[in-house]
Amino acid sequence: MAEAEDQLTVRIDERGWAWLVCGEKLIIWKIGQTAVAKFSVCKELQLPPSEFSCLADLVAISCQSSAGDVAPVQAISVMAVSREGTARYWPSLAHEGSYSDTAVDLCGNLSNFLIAFKGSGFVLSSSKNHLVRLGPDSSGKLQQRTLQQGQGVLSGIGRRVSSLFGMLATPTDVTLHSMLWDKEKDCLYTLTSSNVNKWEVDENSERQVFSWDISRILKENISDAIWGSESNYEEIKAGVNVKYLDLQLGQDGLVILAAAWHPRDTPCVAYYSLVTVEDQGSPMPDEISVEVTKYNPPFQSEELLNCQFVLPRFSGQAAYLFTEELVFACSTGTGRGAVPEEKIPFSFPGDRLLGAGCCADLPVFFSRNSGLLAVVARESASILPEDMEDSLSSSVTGAAVEATLLESSSRMETIAQEDKTTILKAAFLRFCRRDILGAQSMVDEIFPPDSDLDADAELDRTVTQVSVDLVDDYPSSDPRWAESVPDETVGFSHTSLILLHQLEDKMKAHCFFIDFLHQVGLFERLGTAQVRGIPQATRLLLCEHGEKLSAAIVLKNHHSKLPDLVNAGILIALNKKGTDIPLSLTPADVFFREVSQIDSIFECFLVEEERVLKEVHVETVEWAQIVVDLNNIIKDMLQAAGQYRQTQASRYQNADSSKKEPEYIPWTASSGVAGVRTVIVRQHEVILKAVYPQADTVLRNTLNEQLVALLDSYLDGYVSQLRSLNRLSDQERYNNLEMEYTQKRSDLLSPLLSLGQYQWAAALAEKYCDFDILVQLCEQTDNQSRLQRYMTKFADQYFSDFLFRWYMEKGKRGKLLSQPISQHEQLASFLQSHEHLSWLHEINIQDFEKAHKTLYALANTETRYFAKKKTLLSLSKLAALASDFPEDLVQEKVEEIAEQECFLLHQETLPKQLLDEKQLIPDTMPLLTAHNLINLYICDENRRANEYDFKKALDLLEYIDQEEVDIEALKCDIFCKALQRDDWSSSDGNDDPIEAAKDSIFIKILQKLIKEGISLKEYLPDVKDLLQSEELERLLAKSYFEFVLRANYEHYQELQM
């Protein structure tokens, strides 16, 4: 078609269109086999006349339909611009003869790029960064408008000020190297020799958002990446030259292709680098990624640095640099994993690359000799087992996921409607063939990295389904399964004929699947899935599948050794589920196929065990052997699962440790009738109650060892469950589960103590920190050295406190207070919250000062028992006297105690007759208040009360708080009660009132007050208050009583004057 001297250029559009410019001809064709291509395979258009060769970069197509790559030809418009600026516009590709020409004002510069954007608009650029917007009006005539640079949010301010914000006025000496359109955000980017510019564009206007000055920042980053390790880097940096060549939009931001060289390097080479900058607005972000590629050709001249690159949007970090002579595959350096760097030469005679682009997320190049070429990862040997790889490949190929390039543009729409489970399986297959980029591309297509929470929930369901399909896969290549494999099964078919090999292959595939999820970035996005009716972290469900595969392999090994027992359990399991067994298959074939349900065998084993124990005579060998065999199977399966969980934990680790996950209940800790926990508890009972009493010493040792292994798995499940809970946010649930765990642990370990199996009980109790069992063990064996060892071993878990509390609860206070010197510090710390015992320890270690303080504090806080308070005060006084306190301080403390003892003396000297009347026992009676004591001393039940009792009542007034009780009123009551103790009827008006009252209790009280030097005038209540008291109404009926009372008041008060 073209002569050798003709300049040919090609461009490939991501929508599946390609065009070739040859002289004054433009050839446009659809590269996908769609309905459009069937009617219009190719169009030839006539370019506008020009003195210069036209370029494919100056041709653009616009689609006026929302159908995208399947739009009809009528909806495709085309524009081509000559280097001088003559624009030719075809409103419809279907009518190649209908077009219009318009001269575009480029200020005397040559055009270099043309791009189409939304609707039927176009943007034309000149080599000197002059941008013009073009588009047809309602009449079809092209209109043009220059994009004003610097007219964004900071327009109108000076160049110096605007430079502070990364927005500079347009220099006149810049060169535009690249222009691209982001259709998702409706924005335009340009790359010049010094800036990256961005415009937001709508139907009728455009606004410049920012203009990053990249000349200094990127140059420093690129120089540092290439020469930063050199000792004379500071000197080198000053002579580095950088040229910016191309701009593309990647998943992690804008990617700039730059070439750097240093003239003094020997030899001088051009270092091609890919610089990734995320668009975070203005100013330019500080975080910049520089990936120095291994494409470093000799530097010849700046004009010959004409490399470009293509960057498929959804292929992760893969980038493809190209010149006329080669394609260089490399990485942007920002994604996961590493893409092998490789050079693909086009050096055959007459061959060269004419252009490139992306289509169906594949890099596509046009070679002069070969035409369209797509660069894909080289097919390599799969990491899967050979038979599995063949079967998997055939099953996925049946889904037609792996489309050829010619089908790709139409297939992308179809794939979006297909089952994502199948597509994920196909991506996994690509991963296993080491096509990382292809796998990543497929994954990003169905699960975009920026998808919402609903999409992530779908991701969990899809990943879970693929994993289940993997472990439950049908061995379709086994001829015996030919008629049993469901027609709709599309998945990972295994071709091993031996069951054990099938299980091992499934394990390999499962591990590869987990690696695949990590590699393509899905694992870190996993959330939760429903497991046994409750939510569980999907990552842990995946781990469960690996654990069950390990358990299934162990069970299959036992199947070879104990076929009768295992087959019996398998038949029971299949019958319970109502599973039909094809004539060509064995029950084992059917059962071991569904690995996800492998735990259903446990309960079925117990059913078989129960049958044998009932039907077989006790004295036969078979009677106990089934229990031993069954213990071994269950034990080995659970241990294999636990070992896998522990050794492979890092494979399933959550990268974000702060991410909250649901409570984790391992399948080995499932509850319910058929749950593993229930199975172990039932087996625990069978061993200890049915078999152990009949067993000899050898059999008992075997049973003990097996039982301990089963209990180990049982308790480990609780520990895993507790660790999954946040003790702060899930406190109630944590406490309830911990209480359940503690009770179950005690129930299961206590029988070992009862049977005297101290070694086994200690082994489990130490591992799971059952301190109660450990203390009981030491007490039963009277092993104090072991007890001391536990105190040291579990010091950080407060074993000592547990032991001391256990002694207190069991009433073993003698043992509590007879701890060796090494434990005195811990005991003292424990007794701080048990002061009623701590003083005994303090006296034992002869710390009398502290003992005095403790006893005195206890006495002051004792409000219930009189005898206890009196004893505590006495002991406190003795401790003070025995202490090393200074003599004056001892005296002070003794006096403080004596003052309290003086008050207690009032209660101690209550009349015995009164105590009997009130049913108060001296040793157990409560501690009474001063008010209580006053009421007791003056109450009617104190029938033998005399002046001493009433005087004590008066003395007790000083212990009463005046703010709480009216002291004067209470004193008046005491004197009224004293007056009522005498009859006063024996006196008459002729007697001397002083002589008549001298033997009354009232007068005797006055005499005692006078004897103590108390002023009656100030102390006694006013006689009028006494006479107005209701309690004296009976006495006031006798007129002589008032006379006698007033006379004695006057007489005894005058005696003190």
Side-chain angles (χ1 to χ4, degrees):
M1 181 183 72
E3 299 297 333
E5 63 272 12
D6 289 341
Q7 181 175 356
L8 304 176
T9 57
V10 175
R11 186 167 177 181
I12 293 97
D13 186 82
E14 63 181 355
R15 290 165 291 187
W17 290 88
W19 52 88
L20 179 147
V21 173
C22 176
E24 295 183 354
K25 294 181 181 180
L26 169 63
I27 301 172
I28 300 180
W29 72 99
K30 194 76 169 70
I31 61 176
Q33 293 179 344
T34 65
V36 176
K38 292 177 182 179
F39 295 100
S40 181
V41 176
C42 182
K43 291 287 184 178
E44 180 178 328
L45 307 178
Q46 186 68 34
L47 293 170
S50 173
E51 295 180 5
F52 300 91
S53 297
C54 195
L55 303 174
D57 284 338
L58 287 170
V59 178
I61 65 170
S62 176
C63 179
Q64 302 176 39
S65 169
S66 60
D69 59 337
V70 293
V73 175
Q74 291 81 356
I76 303 296
S77 59
V78 181
M79 180 178 287
V81 182
S82 68
R83 295 299 305 277
E84 298 92 335
T86 300
R88 178 165 292 182
Y89 176 64
W90 290 266
S92 173
L93 184 57
H95 307 288
E96 57 266 40
S98 177
Y99 59 85
S100 61
D101 290 345
T102 301
V104 182
D105 182 11
L106 294 176
C107 301
N109 299 312
L110 295 178
S111 60
N112 60 353
F113 294 106
L114 176 70
I115 63 169
F117 58 90
K118 60 187 341 183
S120 56
F122 299 85
V123 175
L124 176 67
S125 68
S126 75
S127 58
K128 292 301 181 182
N129 197 27
H130 188 77
L131 304 178
V132 179
R133 178 171 179 171
L134 301 168
D137 58 17
S138 57
S139 64
K141 183 179 180 181
L142 278 180
Q143 301 294 322
Q144 58 181 292
R145 181 173 67 250
T146 300
L147 271 66
Q148 298 299 319
Q149 303 191 42
Q151 299 299 311
V153 292
L154 299 179
S155 60
I157 62 177
R159 173 181 172 88
R160 178 174 299 177
V161 176
S162 65
S163 68
L164 296 175
F165 296 91
M167 296 187 64
L168 300 175
T170 307
T172 59
D173 57 346
V174 300
T175 301
L176 189 142
H177 296 291
S178 183
M179 182 168 60
L180 69 88
W181 171 253
D182 184 349
K183 64 181 180 181
E184 295 179 1
K185 298 181 180 178
D186 288 342
C187 59
L188 174 73
Y189 293 96
T190 62
L191 171 69
T192 72
S193 52
S194 59
N195 292 81
V196 170
N197 307 289
K198 177 182 179 181
W199 282 266
E200 290 180 348
V201 181
D202 57 26
E203 292 292 343
N204 300 309
S205 64
E206 55 282 328
R207 180 180 70 91
Q208 186 172 6
V209 179
F210 61 70
S211 178
W212 290 340
D213 181 4
I214 61 173
S215 55
R216 180 185 59 83
I217 299 176
L218 293 195
K219 182 178 179 181
E220 288 181 356
N221 280 269
I222 294 171
S223 300
D224 185 64
I226 299 172
W227 292 279
S229 60
E230 300 291 338
S231 58
N232 58 338
Y233 172 57
E234 292 299 324
E235 179 183 345
I236 293 175
K237 184 166 63 173
V240 171
N241 295 302
V242 176
K243 183 178 181 180
Y244 305 108
L245 303 173
D246 201 359
L247 175 68
Q248 298 292 343
L249 189 62
Q251 287 184 313
D252 299 296
L254 296 171
V255 183
I256 301 169
L257 173 63
W261 70 96
H262 194 289
R264 295 184 181 179
D265 278 356
T266 304
C268 182
V269 298
Y271 296 94
Y272 285 89
S273 303
L274 292 172
V275 182
T276 303
V277 186
E278 185 178 358
D279 179 2
Q280 298 175 352
S282 185
M284 184 177 179
D286 295 330
E287 188 172 345
I288 297 172
S289 169
V290 178
E291 178 73 5
V292 182
T293 72
K294 294 181 180 178
Y295 178 50
N296 305 317
F299 175 79
Q300 295 176 338
S301 68
E302 185 173 348
E303 290 72 21
L304 294 178
L305 297 173
N306 56 1
C307 186
Q308 294 174 280
F309 76 115
V310 292
L311 187 67
R313 287 291 301 275
F314 300 105
S315 61
Q317 58 175 324
Y320 301 86
L321 281 59
F322 67 95
T323 66
E324 289 186 351
E325 294 82 21
L326 61 84
V327 172
F328 188 82
C330 58
S331 302
T332 62
T334 58
R336 297 172 293 271
V339 179
E341 298 196 356
E342 185 175 356
K343 183 166 65 174
I344 306 171
F346 290 83
S347 55
F348 289 104
D351 195 14
R352 59 188 174 92
L353 288 180
L354 304 181
C358 289
C359 181
D361 201 32
L362 289 172
V364 182
F365 301 89
F366 193 96
S367 161
R368 183 181 177 95
N369 288 356
S370 305
L372 285 173
L373 299 170
V375 176
V376 295
R378 181 186 294 112
E379 189 73 18
S380 58
S382 175
I383 56 178
L384 287 170
E386 182 177 355
D387 291 340
M388 184 187 301
E389 161 65 21
D390 294 340
S391 181
L392 173 59
S393 177
S394 62
S395 66
V396 174
T397 302
V401 175
E402 298 183 80
T404 62
L405 175 62
L406 293 179
E407 298 173 328
S408 58
S409 60
S410 60
R411 286 296 302 157
M412 295 313 293
E413 180 185 2
T414 309
I415 287 176
Q417 301 168 5
E418 290 178 350
D419 180 15
K420 291 187 176 182
T421 302
T422 303
I423 301 174
L424 188 61
K425 290 177 181 179
F428 175 45
L429 176 61
R430 285 195 174 189
F431 169 81
C432 293
R433 293 174 178 172
R434 295 183 175 87
D435 181 5
I436 310 298
L437 298 180
Q440 186 74 61
S441 176
M442 297 182 73
V443 168
D444 289 343
E445 182 71 22
I446 56 175
F447 297 115
D450 56 351
S451 57
D452 56 18
L453 292 177
D454 291 338
D456 281 349
E458 187 176 8
L459 167 64
D460 287 295
R461 290 191 294 270
T462 305
V463 169
T464 298
Q465 187 60 55
V466 172
S467 184
V468 171
D469 290 349
L470 180 59
V471 299
D472 290 349
D473 187 40
Y474 288 85
S476 57
S477 296
D478 185 339
R480 298 173 303 149
W481 277 92
E483 298 179 0
S484 303
V485 179
D487 294 336
E488 67 274 11
T489 298
V490 178
F492 311 89
S493 299
H494 309 289
T495 57
S496 296
L497 302 182
I498 301 174
L499 272 177
L500 184 60
H501 292 170
Q502 291 175 8
L503 293 172
E504 291 171 346
D505 286 349
K506 284 185 177 183
M507 176 63 85
K508 292 177 183 177
H510 172 78
C511 293
F512 293 147
F513 182 61
I514 301 304
D515 294 341
F516 160 72
L517 294 176
H518 280 290
Q519 182 71 33
V520 299
L522 292 183
F523 195 90
E524 62 194 33
R525 293 170 54 188
L526 294 177
T528 60
Q530 287 292 316
V531 182
R532 294 176 286 278
I534 60 174
Q536 179 176 304
T538 306
R539 67 180 185 88
L540 296 176
L541 175 58
L542 297 176
C543 182
E544 177 177 311
H545 292 161
E547 295 169 21
K548 286 184 173 179
L549 282 166
S550 296
I553 291 172
V554 169
L555 180 60
K556 183 63 192 77
N557 287 326
H558 278 290
H559 182 237
S560 303
K561 303 172 186 175
L562 303 166
D564 293 340
L565 175 57
V566 177
N567 281 331
I570 286 175
L571 282 172
I572 296 172
L574 294 177
N575 290 335
K576 286 186 68 173
K577 292 191 295 183
T579 304
D580 294 329
I581 304 172
L583 294 176
S584 60
L585 299 173
T586 67
D589 290 326
V590 177
F591 179 78
F592 279 105
R593 196 273 305 171
E594 198 172 9
V595 176
S596 64
Q597 303 300 318
I598 198 73
D599 50 323
S600 63
I601 194 74
F602 292 132
E603 184 196 19
C604 303
F605 278 146
L606 294 192
V607 173
E608 175 65 11
E609 179 187 54
E610 185 178 356
R611 182 192 68 79
V612 173
L613 291 178
K614 285 181 179 179
E615 296 180 1
V616 179
H617 195 272
V618 176
E619 295 181 358
T620 61
V621 176
E622 293 83 359
W623 184 80
Q625 189 61 43
I626 187 173
V627 179
V628 174
D629 292 341
L630 193 53
N631 285 342
N632 279 329
I633 294 174
I634 299 175
K635 167 180 70 71
D636 291 347
M637 289 178 68
L638 295 179
Q639 285 181 342
Q643 185 178 11
Y644 183 91
R645 185 185 308 150
Q646 182 179 3
T647 59
Q648 301 296 318
S650 59
R651 185 187 293 271
Y652 303 91
Q653 192 67 40
N654 188 355
D656 183 6
S657 58
S658 63
K659 187 176 181 181
K660 182 173 175 59
E661 293 181 338
E663 179 179 346
Y664 171 49
I665 305 178
W667 68 278
T668 55
S670 57
S671 54
V673 178
V676 178
R677 280 181 181 166
T678 306
V679 168
I680 294 176
V681 171
R682 286 173 58 185
Q683 195 66 1
H684 178 273
E685 186 175 353
V686 168
I687 293 171
L688 295 182
K689 293 185 178 180
V691 183
Y692 197 87
Q694 312 296 331
D696 57 20
T697 303
V698 175
L699 180 57
R700 285 186 175 185
N701 290 336
T702 301
L703 291 173
N704 284 328
E705 185 174 355
Q706 292 176 332
L707 179 59
V708 168
L710 292 175
L711 296 183
D712 186 21
S713 295
Y714 181 94
L715 297 175
D716 183 69
Y718 268 108
V719 172
S720 298
Q721 194 175 347
L722 283 167
R723 285 176 178 167
S724 70
L725 291 171
N726 187 307
R727 199 163 188 168
L728 297 178
S729 60
D730 304 316
Q731 185 174 7
E732 183 178 358
R733 171 59 182 155
Y734 186 93
N735 292 340
N736 291 338
L737 182 62
E738 187 177 38
M739 187 180 301
E740 176 187 330
Y741 166 56
T742 302
Q743 184 61 50
K744 296 287 187 183
R745 185 181 62 192
S746 178
D747 293 343
L748 295 173
L749 298 189
S750 294
L752 294 176
L753 283 183
S754 303
L755 295 173
Q757 297 299 321
Y758 299 125
Q759 178 183 355
W760 295 117
L764 288 175
E766 289 180 22
K767 182 176 181 178
Y768 294 101
C769 300
D770 191 332
F771 294 164
D772 185 57
I773 294 292
L774 293 178
V775 173
Q776 288 187 58
L777 186 153
C778 294
E779 286 295 302
Q780 291 181 21
T781 59
D782 193 24
N783 193 333
Q784 293 301 309
S785 61
R786 180 190 284 267
L787 200 58
Q788 296 302 316
R789 179 166 59 84
Y790 288 152
M791 286 187 178
T792 303
K793 181 177 181 179
F794 300 113
D796 58 339
Q797 298 180 55
Y798 308 105
F799 180 87
S800 297
D801 283 6
F802 180 90
L803 174 64
F804 301 151
R805 190 164 52 250
W806 191 89
Y807 279 144
M808 286 183 59
E809 292 172 355
K810 303 299 181 182
K812 298 177 179 289
R813 297 185 178 180
K815 285 197 170 184
L816 173 65
L817 298 173
S818 59
Q819 293 298 309
I821 295 177
S822 61
Q823 297 300 323
H824 281 181
E825 184 176 350
Q826 288 90 334
L827 180 59
S829 176
F830 171 78
L831 291 175
Q832 285 181 355
S833 56
H834 303 276
E835 289 186 329
H836 63 291
L837 292 176
S838 63
W839 65 272
L840 289 168
H841 172 64
E842 289 155 2
I843 288 176
N844 186 41
I845 62 175
Q846 298 187 358
D847 189 351
F848 297 113
E849 294 181 9
K850 196 168 185 180
H852 158 74
K853 293 177 182 178
T854 302
L855 287 163
Y856 191 64
L858 287 171
N860 287 332
T861 56
E862 178 57 50
T863 58
R864 295 185 60 188
Y865 298 108
F866 162 76
K868 184 176 181 181
K869 185 177 184 76
K870 178 185 174 185
T871 302
L872 289 170
L873 285 172
S874 299
L875 291 171
S876 177
K877 185 195 295 183
L878 289 173
L881 292 171
S883 71
D884 294 329
F885 283 131
E887 187 174 344
D888 56 340
L889 186 57
V890 172
Q891 186 60 35
E892 179 183 337
K893 294 184 177 297
V894 169
E895 289 175 359
E896 290 176 1
I897 295 171
E899 184 178 350
Q900 292 201 47
E901 288 178 328
C902 182
F903 170 77
L904 295 180
L905 188 61
H906 290 86
Q907 182 168 345
E908 187 178 4
T909 56
L910 284 170
K912 184 177 184 305
Q913 169 269 324
L914 176 61
L915 295 177
D916 294 340
E917 189 80 21
K918 293 290 187 179
Q919 296 183 348
L920 293 174
I921 302 173
D923 292 337
T924 60
M925 65 177 171
L927 181 65
L928 302 175
T929 64
H931 204 162
N932 296 144
L933 290 171
I934 290 173
N935 291 334
L936 282 175
Y937 271 115
I938 67 175
C939 68
D940 295 338
E941 287 85 350
N942 189 10
R943 291 186 290 273
R944 299 177 185 176
N946 52 30
E947 66 275 16
Y948 293 100
D949 293 329
F950 284 96
K951 180 59 171 65
K952 290 177 183 177
L954 291 171
D955 292 342
L956 286 167
L957 290 175
E958 67 175 287
Y959 296 102
I960 293 180
D961 189 350
Q962 296 184 13
E963 295 181 359
E964 296 180 0
V965 179
D966 187 346
I967 301 298
E968 292 303 320
L970 185 55
K971 186 189 297 182
C972 188
D973 290 342
I974 295 173
F975 280 110
C976 287
K977 288 289 187 179
L979 288 169
Q980 291 180 68
R981 288 291 174 163
D982 293 300
D983 188 12
W984 303 95
S985 60
S986 60
S987 303
D988 55 40
N990 297 323
D991 293 335
D992 180 1
I994 307 302
E995 184 65 25
K998 68 178 182 180
D999 293 327
S1000 68
I1001 291 177
F1002 177 75
I1003 297 303
K1004 291 179 179 179
I1005 293 173
L1006 297 184
Q1007 291 173 348
K1008 292 185 72 64
L1009 292 172
I1010 293 171
K1011 188 175 181 180
E1012 292 180 6
I1014 297 175
S1015 172
L1016 297 183
K1017 187 174 183 179
E1018 296 178 0
Y1019 185 79
L1020 292 178
D1022 192 294
V1023 69
K1024 293 179 181 180
D1025 294 337
L1026 288 175
L1027 293 173
Q1028 291 175 1
S1029 173
E1030 295 179 359
E1031 295 186 18
L1032 298 182
E1033 287 181 358
R1034 182 180 60 81
L1035 295 177
L1036 289 172
K1038 303 172 184 180
S1039 58
Y1040 185 67
F1041 170 73
E1042 181 178 351
F1043 167 71
V1044 173
L1045 181 59
R1046 287 182 177 275
N1048 279 278
Y1049 246 75
E1050 182 179 347
H1051 172 72
Y1052 285 101
Q1053 287 182 1
E1054 288 180 353
L1055 283 179
Q1056 288 186 309
M1057 296 179 66

